[in-house]
Amino acid sequence: MAIGPSPSAGPNLRTISLWAPDNPLGVRHQLLNEEQKARIAKIASVVRFKKGDQIYLRGDAAEAAFNLISGVVATFLNSDHVTAFLYNGDVFGLSEEGRYTNSAKATTSVTAYKIPIHALRRLLSADPDLDVHIISKLCEELRQAQRHAFILAQQHAVARVAMFLELQEHLQAARGEPNSEIFLLMDRSAIAEFVGLSFAAVSRAFRTLVTQKVILLRDRRHVRVADRPALERLADEQSVGNAPRHQPRRPTIAT
Amino acid sequence: MAIGPSPSAGPNLRTISLWAPDNPLGVRHQLLNEEQKARIAKIASVVRFKKGDQIYLRGDAAEAAFNLISGVVATFLNSDHVTAFLYNGDVFGLSEEGRYTNSAKATTSVTAYKIPIHALRRLLSADPDLDVHIISKLCEELRQAQRHAFILAQQHAVARVAMFLELQEHLQAARGEPNSEIFLLMDRSAIAEFVGLSFAAVSRAFRTLVTQKVILLRDRRHVRVADRPALERLADEQSVGNAPRHQPRRPTIAT
DNA sequence: CGAAGTTTTGATCAAATTCAAGAGTAGTGG
DNA sequence: CCACTACTCTTGAATTTGATCAAAACTTCG
């Protein structure tokens, strides 16, 4: 049952290094050593949520942060705009001025470590190494958010869905899961909320991709990429025609 | 000439606290003490860019991070999608695996501290306090990125522009600048790239807001909010009609 | 099997992109 | 100071795309 390399149980925080310039492709490092894991585990409790449960609401006093063990969590800014999907190892529930800035909801059934915020705070000041790791993780989430914005900035529905699929595939690979097929853990409506389209538009985009033989749907949740160049072409297809009028469209002076 | 409280020159990093639950509204704290400023200033150099200059390109080896002193910088994922506008005190040029993950371009003329990455790294490991601050800052940027995504997820052009205006106003207030009027430092085309619309659509949205007497344009770059309730109404106007079919649209179970 | 929840698909309609031209602003140099 | 040029911005008309409404096909699960 165990998927991917999980050398030891307990809190889990993996990310891409800030510095190391020599890493095949986006494989993540475990950021916590055994001692740190133990220390966090001591102050954390394991909690469980059913599919659809609200974990916390934006604006609530932030009593705890979470470290996801299994399942998928979606975070929202309001009730129908997904800001991120979170997977094993992800951290959520960081606050601003002591209040949650997102709502979080279980997309599937979920288990997670719950870490009281005051304990986390003590832990951070006690262990200087820990927060460098947290910085890496935050940088990664920041880039994720920017990628999300990038998807949303795409003009065409197919482009958004294509980018979404690439993103999922990439995340799956980064988690070390078998990557011959993309497994979508969320339903069409969650995807729609994430990519900022209606329901129907997502469905149509999938169908378009299928009829153009870019992807194969084994079932509604298992996607196989049949024509990667085409997928990339669709995903990269440039968005809005803010025609650079004066600049004679130099092809981005690559060094 | 000096705008806002700038108790001492030098590196500048302000943000909203992670914990403190008692803060009027989004006013930021200076995160660096004099000693830290001095230490950073020692390893940093001041650099200048003209309007339109490319500061670095996505994918380049990251040699330095920057702390903005004056002017506005826009970051891009590719050449025509703005991921953020950066102002005084903002940090940019954080890398992934030693390479820049964004491109950065001067929207106005710009001065900034340039901090070599290796020096920054040494600094971080030497001063444990520093990275808690950096964590706060990153959290803030993360929320910014999520807000950006939220704007992009809006359906209607006016809603996006309305939210954009609110965001600018909010940022301006957070920087401590006079807030009776919104001063847009970027041109329509930069706004269009940020909110993910065409040129023309942004222009039309402005016009709509003006004719509906929601805003007043003193000139193209000075906006005064004439009817705040209306502006908020437009900005909040809920996006996509992914009609929650089963859930009978509870009004977000506020605690 | 039937019922509730999902997903696909179709037809209509509103809104934004595109293309294109015209109005407004700067900035330059005579 | 005004005319000239280069930009930026606004506005209009035609076209495309996705939202919306609605119904039908498919899944799940009790």
Side-chain angles (χ1 to χ4, degrees):
Chain A
M1 244 312 184
I3 291 174
S6 212
S8 87
N12 181 9
L13 187 71
R14 33 185 87 235
T15 195
I16 298 163
S17 159
L18 265 171
W19 335 94
D22 43 8
N23 177 338
L25 187 61
V27 180
R28 287 170 164 112
H29 315 292
Q30 173 56 252
L31 294 184
L32 304 175
N33 62 33
E34 294 305 315
E35 195 197 328
Q36 289 167 333
K37 282 188 187 181
R39 220 172 318 155
I40 295 181
K42 214 179 298 174
I43 60 172
S45 55
V46 174
V47 287
R48 240 167 270 277
F49 298 96
K50 302 192 294 298
K51 174 175 173 173
D53 280 359
Q54 199 80 38
I55 299 173
Y56 55 77
L57 281 170
R58 180 169 135 88
D60 285 356
E63 287 151 11
F66 298 86
N67 180 209
L68 193 48
I69 301 170
S70 72
V72 179
V73 168
T75 55
F76 296 80
L77 269 180
N78 70 150
S79 48
D80 56 11
H81 168 228
V82 176
T83 56
F85 291 116
L86 305 168
Y87 302 96
N88 175 32
D90 286 338
V91 171
F92 58 104
L94 289 173
S95 53
E96 168 173 300
E97 303 279 339
R99 311 217 146 252
Y100 291 119
T101 57
N102 285 307
S103 304
K105 202 166 107 179
T107 294
T108 66
S109 59
V110 158
T111 50
Y113 290 100
K114 179 174 183 173
I115 306 165
I117 206 85
H118 56 86
L120 182 63
R121 194 177 179 174
R122 257 187 289 116
L123 199 71
L124 281 185
S125 43
D127 186 343
D129 282 346
L130 211 52
D131 43 358
V132 169
H133 296 339
I134 288 183
I135 289 173
S136 307
K137 187 68 189 170
L138 279 171
C139 283
E140 189 191 340
E141 296 209 2
L142 181 56
R143 286 185 297 267
Q144 292 278 5
Q146 289 178 344
R147 233 167 265 147
H148 183 198
F150 192 51
I151 292 178
L152 288 166
Q154 296 307 311
Q155 214 46 221
H156 298 290
V158 267
R160 294 198 201 179
V161 170
M163 290 183 67
F164 175 76
L165 289 175
E166 288 189 338
L167 177 62
Q168 291 308 312
E169 189 179 34
H170 187 256
L171 289 177
Q172 207 166 300
R175 295 199 301 275
E177 290 168 21
N179 59 359
S180 62
E181 222 178 29
I182 305 168
F183 179 32
L184 303 172
L185 295 108
M186 66 296 290
D187 60 20
R188 293 284 187 275
S189 105
I191 295 174
E193 285 172 13
F194 185 78
V195 301
L197 292 171
S198 71
F199 231 102
V202 171
S203 184
R204 271 184 255 270
F206 268 94
R207 215 189 67 73
T208 305
L209 290 172
V210 170
T211 51
Q212 293 187 357
K213 302 228 166 50
V214 179
I215 60 171
L216 291 170
L217 285 182
R218 185 155 68 73
D219 69 27
R220 280 166 188 68
R221 308 204 146 192
H222 293 271
V223 181
R224 189 180 288 275
V225 179
D227 183 352
R228 185 165 309 277
L231 188 68
E232 281 170 13
R233 208 165 352 97
L234 287 172
D236 291 344
E237 207 144 81
Q238 259 344 314
S239 39
V240 179
N242 276 329
R245 283 173 300 195
H246 13 303
Q247 302 129 344
R249 171 168 286 289
R250 262 160 298 178
T252 311
I253 323 105
T255 43
Chain B
M1 247 308 187
I3 291 173
S6 211
S8 89
N12 181 10
L13 186 70
R14 33 185 87 234
T15 195
I16 298 163
S17 161
L18 265 172
W19 336 92
D22 42 10
N23 178 336
L25 187 62
V27 180
R28 287 169 163 113
H29 314 292
Q30 172 58 250
L31 295 184
L32 304 175
N33 62 34
E34 294 303 316
E35 194 198 328
Q36 289 168 331
K37 282 189 187 181
R39 222 170 320 153
I40 295 181
K42 216 180 295 176
I43 61 173
S45 55
V46 174
V47 287
R48 240 165 270 274
F49 298 97
K50 301 191 296 297
K51 174 175 173 172
D53 279 1
Q54 199 80 38
I55 298 173
Y56 55 77
L57 281 170
R58 180 169 136 88
D60 285 356
E63 288 151 13
F66 298 86
N67 179 208
L68 193 49
I69 301 169
S70 73
V72 179
V73 168
T75 55
F76 296 80
L77 269 179
N78 69 151
S79 49
D80 55 13
H81 168 227
V82 176
T83 56
F85 292 115
L86 305 168
Y87 302 95
N88 175 31
D90 286 337
V91 171
F92 59 103
L94 290 174
S95 53
E96 168 174 300
E97 304 278 338
R99 310 215 147 255
Y100 290 119
T101 57
N102 285 307
S103 303
K105 204 166 109 179
T107 294
T108 66
S109 58
V110 157
T111 50
Y113 290 101
K114 179 174 182 172
I115 306 165
I117 206 84
H118 55 84
L120 182 63
R121 193 177 178 175
R122 256 187 289 117
L123 200 69
L124 281 186
S125 42
D127 187 342
D129 282 347
L130 211 53
D131 40 1
V132 170
H133 296 339
I134 289 182
I135 289 174
S136 307
K137 188 67 189 171
L138 280 171
C139 283
E140 188 191 342
E141 295 209 1
L142 181 56
R143 286 185 295 267
Q144 292 276 6
Q146 290 178 342
R147 231 167 268 148
H148 183 198
F150 191 53
I151 291 177
L152 288 166
Q154 297 306 310
Q155 214 48 221
H156 298 290
V158 267
R160 294 199 201 178
V161 171
M163 290 183 66
F164 175 76
L165 289 174
E166 289 188 338
L167 176 63
Q168 291 308 313
E169 190 180 35
H170 187 255
L171 288 176
Q172 207 166 300
R175 295 199 300 276
E177 291 168 19
N179 58 0
S180 62
E181 221 178 31
I182 306 169
F183 179 32
L184 302 172
L185 294 106
M186 66 296 290
D187 61 21
R188 292 284 186 276
S189 105
I191 296 174
E193 285 171 13
F194 184 79
V195 301
L197 291 171
S198 69
F199 227 105
V202 171
S203 185
R204 271 185 255 268
F206 268 94
R207 213 189 63 75
T208 305
L209 291 173
V210 170
T211 51
Q212 293 188 356
K213 302 226 164 52
V214 179
I215 61 172
L216 290 170
L217 285 182
R218 184 154 69 73
D219 68 28
R220 277 166 190 67
R221 309 206 144 190
H222 291 90
V223 181
R224 189 179 287 274
V225 179
D227 183 351
R228 185 165 310 276
L231 188 68
E232 280 170 15
R233 207 166 354 96
L234 287 172
D236 290 344
E237 208 144 82
Q238 261 342 315
S239 39
V240 179
N242 275 330
R245 285 171 301 191
H246 14 304
Q247 303 130 345
R249 170 167 286 290
R250 263 160 298 178
T252 310
I253 322 106
T255 43

